[in-house]
Amino acid sequence: MSKSTSSTLKPWYVLFVFLLIWGIVPVVSKSFSKELLYEFQAPFWVASSKISDLQSFWALKIHSRNSLIETCRDLARLNAAYELKLQENTYLKDEVLRLENALNIPPLPEYQTEVARVCRRDRSLWWQQIMIRKGKDYGIIPGAAVVYRGGVVGKIKEVFEHTSVVELVTSKRFRVAAHLEGDDRPVTYQGNLNMAFSGPKGQLFNIPEDVIVTAEKPRKLVSSMLGGVFPDGLFIGWLTELEPGSDGLFMQGTIELENALLNLSEVAVLLPLKQEN
Amino acid sequence: MGTLEKHSWFFVLLGNILLIFLNQLVSEWMSPFGLYLYVDSLLIMAPILLLSYTGGFWVVVLSGLFIDAMMPIPYGMHAILYLVAYNILYGLEHYYNGGVIKHARFSTLITNTALMLLLAVLIGRSLIFSAVYWLNFVINIGLSSLIMLAINQWFYALQTSIVKSLVRSKQLYE
């Protein structure tokens, strides 16, 4: 073999040796180096998010005193409304507890809420996820439900030291049991491929044939306890279109999700509380 | 060879890491519109322009692993794809006697499109028969190519200035 041929092939030998070594490196070492490189990058995103928060703070500082007074007045009204709801909630909780004891049924799962700021949004062709500024340090666990004021956001996918990754409800990899409001029969929700410059959409499967939906009267899709992740009744989206399913027994449809999911700045992680007996 | 000269690959890697962060930052701003920026061929071309094969090899591997760590894909996927692209470009560079470097802008565009196409097939296997998927792909690759045309001169100049300030004796673009 001539010298020039061997020098041309040298890069390919090197690549082959690298692939061989990569193939035999233990998974533990790969996971360790992955986590190391992730943790190396995470502070950049946390810092970038904190700078953004600071910008918002200074932007709010330039608001006039009048607008502050107006906001305080609106908040006072909201607080009054929430106080009433809180009293109603306490009564309903007692009622649920009484019925659970009377009928001897297992108690409903309870959650502790951990509010976290979003520090990175990653929506590509292939995945849709966000990074939040709380991780193992706040007891976040993989699989925990993530919600916001508008309903379901997604599920915790990976947890790191000070950050966590959330798989968004818009992602094709997100799948959960749900039901239509006022109809307890379970259906399956899955995220869908979203077109650029358009609102987020999802897909709904296993819809019973007697469900009727029109463009004027869309049906509300809410979370179901059957999935074991979300509490019952959290808003997911609107069922706007129906078509026959591939199996011929059920129908499938399109779910329109809220545009607010694309600009989330704060979410809440629902951590299941351990039940006492 | 001075200590800084020996470690010039490290400074090229730092330049690549800066580009990775900027890329992800811009992608984040564009995410509400469902757009995604992909300019990864710049990470491969810079080492070809400025470093020896071995130095470039490590820069490409580490840049790939750096990206893989943040993404929900098999760890090492980008690193291996980049290495294959790096080897092909390195081979072409020697075969055509400097042709790749002479047409760096064109080579970067072609490599970027090829890499993104490969990823589209490898990661989006279940979607390859969806028209919406390919339409989105075309929009993203079009936008990425436009942005890359605008920034590649800047990026190569940045990397060159870093290495030139460290490596006095080495002839760049030889």
Side-chain angles (χ1 to χ4, degrees):
Chain A
M1 196 186 285
S2 69
K3 200 181 168 188
S4 68
T5 316
S6 75
S7 71
T8 313
L9 288 177
K10 187 193 150 197
W12 296 101
Y13 293 141
V14 176
L15 178 65
F16 179 72
V17 171
F18 175 80
L19 290 178
L20 207 66
I21 294 170
W22 188 254
I24 55 173
V25 166
V27 179
V28 181
S29 314
K30 286 181 192 167
S31 309
F32 175 74
S33 71
K34 184 182 176 176
E35 203 158 314
L36 193 79
L37 286 172
Y38 178 94
E39 294 292 5
F40 177 76
Q41 296 178 62
F44 169 81
W45 293 107
V46 173
S48 143
S49 150
K50 285 193 173 168
I51 290 169
S52 167
D53 285 352
L54 194 66
Q55 277 177 332
S56 312
F57 172 75
W58 286 110
L60 286 173
K61 280 276 267 189
I62 57 167
H63 280 225
S64 71
R65 197 168 283 187
N66 281 348
S67 72
L68 193 69
I69 292 167
E70 278 170 24
T71 311
C72 284
R73 185 201 58 203
D74 293 346
L75 278 176
R77 283 176 188 165
L78 265 178
N79 278 342
Y82 286 142
E83 280 293 332
L84 282 174
K85 285 274 175 204
L86 214 59
Q87 285 173 28
E88 195 183 321
N89 194 22
T90 316
Y91 165 74
L92 287 172
K93 268 190 174 173
D94 289 344
E95 186 63 17
V96 168
L97 195 67
R98 194 184 64 78
L99 286 171
E100 276 172 2
N101 289 334
L103 300 169
N104 202 18
I105 53 174
L108 287 170
E110 285 192 64
Y111 299 91
Q112 174 201 332
T113 309
E114 199 63 65
V115 177
R117 301 284 297 173
V118 175
C119 60
R120 184 177 179 231
R121 295 161 198 85
D122 189 4
R123 289 182 75 229
S124 75
L125 269 175
W126 308 292
W127 54 80
Q128 315 250 320
Q129 56 186 30
I130 53 172
M131 189 198 276
I132 56 170
R133 280 189 345 212
K134 279 184 182 172
K136 283 177 191 163
D137 51 346
Y138 282 87
I140 309 289
I141 49 166
V146 183
V147 298
Y148 78 121
R149 61 184 166 78
V152 171
V153 169
K155 274 189 275 194
I156 296 283
K157 199 173 136 224
E158 278 178 291
V159 183
F160 296 90
E161 213 47 51
H162 307 289
T163 54
S164 303
V165 178
V166 180
E167 182 91 69
L168 282 177
V169 70
T170 53
S171 172
K172 194 133 178 79
R173 302 172 182 206
F174 183 91
R175 209 176 160 90
V176 74
H179 67 86
L180 295 168
E181 198 178 49
D183 185 344
D184 283 342
R185 290 172 293 181
V187 287
T188 310
Y189 167 83
Q190 190 180 8
N192 198 5
L193 183 69
N194 290 294
M195 193 60 202
F197 304 111
S198 70
K201 283 189 176 134
Q203 286 171 298
L204 199 62
F205 300 101
N206 305 329
I207 310 167
E209 278 200 325
D210 56 353
V211 172
I212 298 167
V213 166
T214 59
E216 295 79 34
K217 271 195 170 181
R219 296 282 302 268
K220 199 176 183 181
L221 182 74
V222 292
S223 61
S224 161
M225 264 180 9
L226 286 176
V229 180
F230 294 94
D232 206 85
L234 291 177
F235 176 70
I236 297 177
W238 295 99
L239 176 62
T240 52
E241 283 171 36
L242 274 177
E243 58 182 271
S246 52
D247 56 8
L249 294 171
F250 295 100
M251 291 194 287
Q252 62 185 50
T254 307
I255 297 293
E256 296 213 347
L257 303 165
E258 292 291 297
N259 279 331
L261 283 167
L262 308 178
N263 290 303
L264 290 170
S265 55
E266 199 164 73
V267 295
V269 184
L270 301 180
L271 300 168
L273 287 176
K274 280 185 186 144
Q275 305 281 344
E276 285 175 23
N277 197 14
Chain B
M1 195 184 269
T3 317
L4 279 178
E5 283 178 44
K6 256 197 291 185
H7 297 102
S8 58
W9 67 271
F10 177 73
F11 296 95
V12 175
L13 178 66
L14 284 184
N16 274 5
I17 288 173
L18 175 75
L19 182 73
I20 292 168
F21 279 135
L22 291 177
N23 182 9
Q24 290 176 353
L25 214 54
V26 175
S27 291
E28 194 190 342
W29 292 334
M30 298 194 314
S31 72
F33 310 105
L35 297 171
Y36 181 73
L37 182 64
Y38 190 88
V39 292
D40 292 13
S41 63
L42 290 172
L43 308 173
I44 303 165
M45 197 55 89
I48 289 184
L49 291 173
L50 301 165
L51 299 172
S52 65
Y53 177 78
T54 318
F57 181 90
W58 289 114
V59 170
V60 168
V61 169
L62 290 171
S63 302
L65 292 180
F66 207 78
I67 290 176
D68 284 329
M70 298 298 281
M71 292 186 177
I73 52 170
Y75 185 57
M77 189 175 177
H78 272 102
I80 291 168
L81 277 180
Y82 289 178
L83 270 185
V84 173
Y86 176 71
N87 268 13
I88 292 171
L89 287 171
Y90 188 83
L92 286 174
E93 168 64 13
H94 282 258
Y95 189 78
Y96 288 112
N97 231 349
V100 171
I101 287 179
K102 240 180 259 168
H103 305 286
R105 194 179 285 192
F106 178 70
S107 312
T108 314
L109 266 183
I110 295 291
T111 312
N112 203 55
T113 310
L115 277 174
M116 207 172 164
L117 198 64
L118 258 173
L119 282 176
V121 174
L122 289 173
I123 305 173
R125 278 189 300 271
S126 59
L127 301 164
I128 52 172
F129 296 111
S130 159
V132 175
Y133 178 62
W134 289 109
L135 187 60
N136 264 340
F137 175 81
V138 169
I139 292 171
N140 280 293
I141 193 73
L143 182 84
S144 299
S145 302
L146 280 177
I147 292 180
M148 205 160 61
L149 278 175
I151 65 162
N152 68 1
Q153 207 65 21
W154 162 79
F155 182 64
Y156 294 145
L158 174 85
Q159 292 277 44
T160 309
S161 69
I162 294 171
V163 176
K164 252 186 180 170
S165 61
L166 301 167
V167 189
R168 285 186 215 103
S169 57
K170 191 179 171 185
Q171 187 70 44
L172 294 168
Y173 297 96
E174 62 188 0

